[in-house]
Amino acid sequence: KAACDEHDICYSVKNSGKGTCDNDFRKNMEHICRSYYTGFQNSVQLGNCLAAVGVWYIAVAEKGHQAYNDDQVWAQSHCK
């Protein structure tokens, strides 16, 4: 949720770059996975978590254009 919230905020920042927002989203999720699943005993869970990161990153990178554009229109009209 934290990475998603940050990503949503980034999309709404006037003149933010979609690619930058998406890459930061991926990095934030990877950091959360690595922080949560530490040690050898959690290596399988870490691998699963990082695989999910890849799925979510591809989803926003490939399908998030309309959301990004909508948020940028809002930002352009509401942020000075």
Side-chain angles (χ1 to χ4, degrees), residues 39-78:
F40 179 77
Q41 70 275 14
N42 288 319
S43 60
V44 171
Q45 291 89 342
L46 175 60
N48 290 338
C49 188
L50 293 173
V53 166
V55 171
W56 284 106
Y57 171 75
I58 290 170
V60 298
E62 293 184 2
K63 303 293 183 184
H65 297 286
Q66 188 63 51
Y68 173 78
N69 291 336
D70 291 347
D71 286 353
Q72 285 297 297
V73 167
W74 183 91
Q76 293 293 333
S77 65
H78 290 88

Side-chain angles (χ1 to χ4, degrees), residues 5-25:
D5 291 346
E6 288 288 327
H7 185 250
D8 291 345
I9 290 167
C10 187
Y11 270 19
S12 298
V13 172
K14 186 176 178 180
N15 298 321
S16 65
K18 182 182 180 312
T20 299
C21 294
D22 294 346
N23 286 330
D24 288 348
F25 179 54

